[in-house]
Amino acid sequence: MRLVLILISLFPLLVDAQSNPNLQSELVNMARVDQSIRQEVGEAGWSNAPRALLDKLANVDKKNTERLKEIFAKKGWVNSEQVGKKGVSAAFLIIQHSPDTEFQKRMLPKIKQSYLADEGISGEQVALLTDRVYVRDGKQQIYGTQARVVSGEIMFEPIKDPETVDERRAEMNMSTLSTYKKLLEEAYGM
């Protein structure tokens, strides 16, 4: 089973200045539901969670994705002027957890643009989605964010140029790969 990093610490759920507070509120609420179900699954244990809970998680991700696509179809990509940095970050979270891999791939350039424009997307978030898209496409990941548990150990998906991964992680304001691995081990009780 692929590890899913709970992004609660990456996603502050407060509101901020924006021109469309209703849309921001909707996005932030969608992200709260996302994090709430992930917390339930985490408490049950990702590898031992009841099927009904995993189905609920899949339903939340599907519903959030469908709604986000509706929003983008009407308004285009959201930016911090429209929904504040919290709204942009909420949109990222929904994309990151979307079951629609083609949607994730299409949104990756928008996520990168938002990061470069300082609209509430962190380097770590860009790295997470980049690696997720690459791994799902059968490519080597760039930042070493995608891992799985194999025989009780954290195993990273193949990393391109692993000898320089910590340099790339530093460019995105991320900890070293070894520190990240320890964090994952702690999160999964290893």
Side-chain angles (χ1 to χ4, degrees), residues 6 48-49 57 72 78 86 99 115 128 135 138 144 146 153-154 163 170 173 175 181:
I6 298 176
N48 301 323
L57 172 73
F72 290 168
V78 293
K86 306 301 186 276
Y115 167 67
L128 284 164
V135 167
Q146 303 299 297
E153 275 191 57
I154 300 290
E163 62 281 351
N173 294 318
S175 64
K181 183 176 182 181

Side-chain angles (χ1 to χ4, degrees), residues 3 54 61 81:
L3 288 178
L54 294 174
D61 290 345
E81 289 180 16

Side-chain angles (χ1 to χ4, degrees), residues 10 80 84-86 88-89 114-115 117-122 125:
L10 298 175
S80 60
K85 289 183 177 185
K86 306 301 186 276
V88 174
S89 187
S114 285
Y115 167 67
D118 192 28
E119 293 188 325
I121 300 294
S122 70
Q125 289 170 320

Side-chain angles (χ1 to χ4, degrees), residues 10 115-116 118 121-128 143 145 165-177 179-180 183:
L10 298 175
Y115 167 67
L116 294 173
D118 192 28
I121 300 294
S122 70
E124 187 169 11
Q125 289 170 320
V126 171
L128 284 164
Y143 303 101
T145 65
V165 69
D166 283 336
E167 292 170 27
R168 292 188 299 276
R169 290 176 66 86
E171 290 171 1
M172 302 305 268
N173 294 318
M174 298 167 67
S175 64
T176 64
L177 190 64
T179 300
Y180 180 60
L183 176 73

Side-chain angles (χ1 to χ4, degrees), residues 104-112 126 129-130 133-134:
Q104 289 177 325
K105 192 183 297 187
R106 284 193 316 271
M107 293 297 104
L108 184 56
K110 302 288 186 186
I111 297 292
K112 288 178 180 177
V126 171
L129 187 59
T130 299
V133 166
Y134 277 41

Side-chain angles (χ1 to χ4, degrees), residues 23-156:
L23 181 56
Q24 183 195 51
S25 180
E26 181 180 6
L27 291 168
V28 168
N29 194 41
M30 290 164 64
R32 279 190 181 120
V33 171
D34 172 288
Q35 291 297 276
S36 177
I37 186 64
R38 279 176 167 70
Q39 185 172 352
E40 284 183 59
V41 173
E43 288 169 1
W46 284 93
S47 58
N48 301 323
R51 180 83 252 155
L53 193 56
L54 294 174
D55 289 344
K56 184 177 175 185
L57 172 73
N59 188 49
V60 165
D61 290 345
K62 182 180 180 206
K63 183 179 173 184
N64 279 350
T65 298
E66 289 170 0
R67 178 61 186 134
L68 196 61
K69 286 178 180 180
E70 289 172 5
I71 292 167
F72 290 168
K74 290 179 185 174
K75 300 185 179 303
W77 173 256
V78 293
N79 61 43
S80 60
E81 289 180 16
Q82 297 167 318
V83 297
K85 289 183 177 185
K86 306 301 186 276
V88 174
S89 187
F92 161 79
L93 190 69
I94 294 161
I95 294 166
Q96 176 72 5
H97 293 152
S98 173
D100 185 340
T101 57
E102 288 304 311
F103 177 62
Q104 289 177 325
K105 192 183 297 187
R106 284 193 316 271
M107 293 297 104
L108 184 56
K110 302 288 186 186
I111 297 292
K112 288 178 180 177
Q113 288 171 355
S114 285
Y115 167 67
L116 294 173
D118 192 28
E119 293 188 325
I121 300 294
S122 70
E124 187 169 11
Q125 289 170 320
V126 171
L128 284 164
L129 187 59
T130 299
D131 282 353
R132 181 166 286 183
V133 166
Y134 277 41
V135 167
R136 284 190 176 159
D137 280 351
K139 298 176 184 173
Q140 293 178 329
Q141 61 179 321
I142 305 298
Y143 303 101
T145 65
Q146 303 299 297
R148 53 192 162 94
V149 177
V150 177
S151 301
E153 275 191 57
I154 300 290
M155 301 297 291
F156 287 98

